Amino acid sequence: MLDLAFIRNNPDAVRRAIREKNDKADLDKLLALDAERRKALGEFETLRSEQNRVSKEIAARKKAKQDAEDLLLQMRAVAEKVKALEAVAREAEALLQKELTYIPNIPAADVPSGRSAEDNPIVRSWGTPKKFDFKPRPHWEIAAQYDIIDFERAAKLAGSHFALFKGDGARLERALVNFMLEIHTREHGYKEIFSPPLIVNRASMFGTGQLPKLEEDMYRCELDDFFLIPTAEVPVTNLHRDELLDRAALPIKYTCYTPCFRREAGSYGRDTRALMRVHQFDKVEMVKMVRPETSYQELESLLVNAETILQRLELPYRVAKLCTGELSFAAAKCYDIECWAPGIERWMEVSSCSNFEAFQARRANIRYRDENGKQEYVHTLNGSGVALARTVLCLLETHQQADGSVTIPAALRPFMGGQERIG
């Protein structure tokens, strides 16, 4: 959430952010509500001063045994006006806070202007997409041949866009999780969080910016008003909701594996078959809470941490800097990492690494004391380290062999019990 004073003093910058993020927030309505609230509060304070003055005068008359009936009538009239203004200010405040939650974050200065993915510049790439001397197969054919991913039975259990991993597929999924966590904890210095709640309350979803704007994309448990988490970002960031952190403890770095659940309402069309888009998928997440002056350095290191995973898995990828129109509601800057999938001949996003600056921290009330003892909001960051469904997709298609088998990358073999191939 943006600071209201910032919005009031920089309406053109906020209006530009709304426009460039393809958002529909009503800034004019918010500013009108703010003006109405401030006007009511100003009149309220004036009347309260009048109340205090008249009260003193009444007390003085009573002490002097003088009649004060006219002042008492005046006091009652003022009290009624005060009560009415309180109601106006309270209603304007409630409406203002509601509108404030729909105002998106401001893109960072170096985020390129653009409307769609075609406007995202590629900032670097790693590896060269493999050239095959045979026609590479899509992952669903490989999965069917070795019975390692079962889409049909998953659909029988829950509907379309679910997957069930079996045999070597289950072993591969589990190995990837352990491999990623080992690198992030042992090499990158993240503290692991294990088994956080997979259902969270409304306050947690609000804190990281999913609510209220993105509620239709979330799975909601209506009876208890809980939500299935769309990413470990939600429980992990909210670990420190309403806390004042020790400056010396920053940066705080967490990594966490969870299943993730997304309705993906209205997103279907292309990229939907098999593992390309699913409602439930495994992911290892990285979350940072840092001092504001270091947050963009921390974003670059977060990105490198995610890239390390893909390099060890020998998966060619490219890094795109998202343009303004592709940025999420809460992000100030974001990089996407896209792996090449030769079987479907497509670049697939496997990680997003974002800096939210103070946007999430203000919503979740996560603060620290700066070197002068002043309370400030931390900057929060997170990134996929990485998302497994599409990583498995790219791994199966990239490392397939002419005989139909799939080679396990050398770095992953110790986590597969030494297994060198599937098939």
Side-chain angles (χ1 to χ4, degrees), residues 79-91:
E80 288 179 4
K81 290 181 181 179
V82 166
K83 186 176 180 181
L85 283 169
E86 278 185 312
V88 170
R90 190 163 50 247
E91 182 180 2

Side-chain angles (χ1 to χ4, degrees), residues 200-210 232-243 287 289 360 363-364 366:
V200 296
N201 55 29
R202 187 170 286 271
S204 295
M205 295 287 278
F206 176 82
T208 43
Q210 282 78 18
E233 162 200 349
V234 177
V236 174
T237 303
N238 279 278
L239 287 175
H240 295 293
R241 189 173 75 236
D242 294 324
E243 290 186 15
V287 172
M289 299 174 197
Q360 290 182 330
R363 294 169 79 100
I366 307 172

Side-chain angles (χ1 to χ4, degrees), residues 191-342:
K191 178 182 287 187
E192 183 180 356
I193 302 296
F194 182 72
S195 193
L198 302 183
I199 55 172
V200 296
N201 55 29
R202 187 170 286 271
S204 295
M205 295 287 278
F206 176 82
T208 43
Q210 282 78 18
L211 297 185
K213 182 177 175 61
L214 305 176
E215 185 161 343
E216 70 170 14
D217 282 333
M218 307 300 148
Y219 282 108
R220 181 184 173 211
C221 307
E222 294 187 15
L223 184 62
D224 302 299
D225 198 25
F226 287 162
F227 295 84
L228 295 177
I229 64 168
T231 164
E233 162 200 349
V234 177
V236 174
T237 303
N238 279 278
L239 287 175
H240 295 293
R241 189 173 75 236
D242 294 324
E243 290 186 15
L244 180 62
L245 304 176
D246 183 353
R247 182 177 184 273
L250 300 177
I252 292 173
K253 298 166 58 176
Y254 292 129
T255 187
C256 181
Y257 154 72
T258 64
C260 304
F261 307 89
R262 299 182 187 179
R263 290 185 63 236
E264 303 282 9
S267 65
Y268 292 132
R270 67 188 296 262
D271 297 349
T272 63
R273 187 171 181 181
L275 292 180
M276 296 166 75
R277 190 178 297 276
V278 289
H279 290 308
Q280 176 185 325
F281 59 96
D282 293 324
K283 180 154 68 82
V284 173
E285 188 78 353
M286 302 174 290
V287 172
K288 291 184 179 184
M289 299 174 197
V290 306
R291 296 194 297 273
E293 64 269 21
T294 67
S295 68
Y296 280 98
Q297 296 172 358
E298 295 286 358
L299 176 61
E300 297 300 323
S301 68
L302 183 79
L303 176 61
V304 169
N305 294 159
E307 290 180 81
T308 298
I309 298 298
L310 300 174
Q311 291 174 11
R312 302 279 178 89
L313 294 176
E314 303 168 38
L315 296 176
Y317 65 84
R318 64 186 188 183
V319 177
K321 181 193 286 188
L322 297 198
C323 68
T324 52
E326 287 286 290
L327 276 181
S328 73
F329 171 76
K333 183 176 180 178
C334 180
Y335 294 106
D336 274 1
I337 307 178
E338 302 169 342
C339 277
W340 178 247

Side-chain angles (χ1 to χ4, degrees), residues 145-164:
Q145 179 179 354
Y146 298 113
D147 193 26
I148 57 176
I149 308 174
D150 195 327
F151 300 102
E152 290 74 18
R153 288 188 173 89
K156 180 170 66 174
L157 298 175
S160 60
H161 304 294
F162 286 89
L164 187 156

